[in-house]
Amino acid sequence: MTQGKAQVNMLRAQECAGLFAQISSGDFSASGEQKRLIRIEELAARMLADIQEENYDPET
């Protein structure tokens, strides 16, 4: 994985951690929690896509 993609994924992971921390604090409505969970899912999907792209080998 390029250094740039790795840095972007680190930022995504940090954002996920922050969102999980907000969810665990419980200081907002259920719809707010749902929005945070959706954002976490989007970030995780992007990180996974980057990892899969890096590990893709058309020879196998």
Side-chain angles (χ1 to χ4, degrees), residues 3 13 20 25 35-36 42 47 50 52 55 59:
Q3 185 175 0
F20 277 121
S25 73
K35 288 177 186 176
R36 285 167 178 81
E42 291 169 350
M47 287 186 284
D50 284 349
Q52 289 174 330
N55 292 329
E59 302 282 322

Side-chain angles (χ1 to χ4, degrees), residues 5-34:
K5 277 189 179 181
Q7 289 175 336
V8 168
N9 279 338
M10 179 60 80
L11 293 172
R12 289 174 178 155
Q14 289 172 347
E15 184 178 349
C16 285
L19 292 166
F20 277 121
Q22 290 174 10
I23 289 169
S24 67
S25 73
D27 290 339
F28 46 85
S29 67
S31 65
E33 181 175 334
Q34 184 177 14

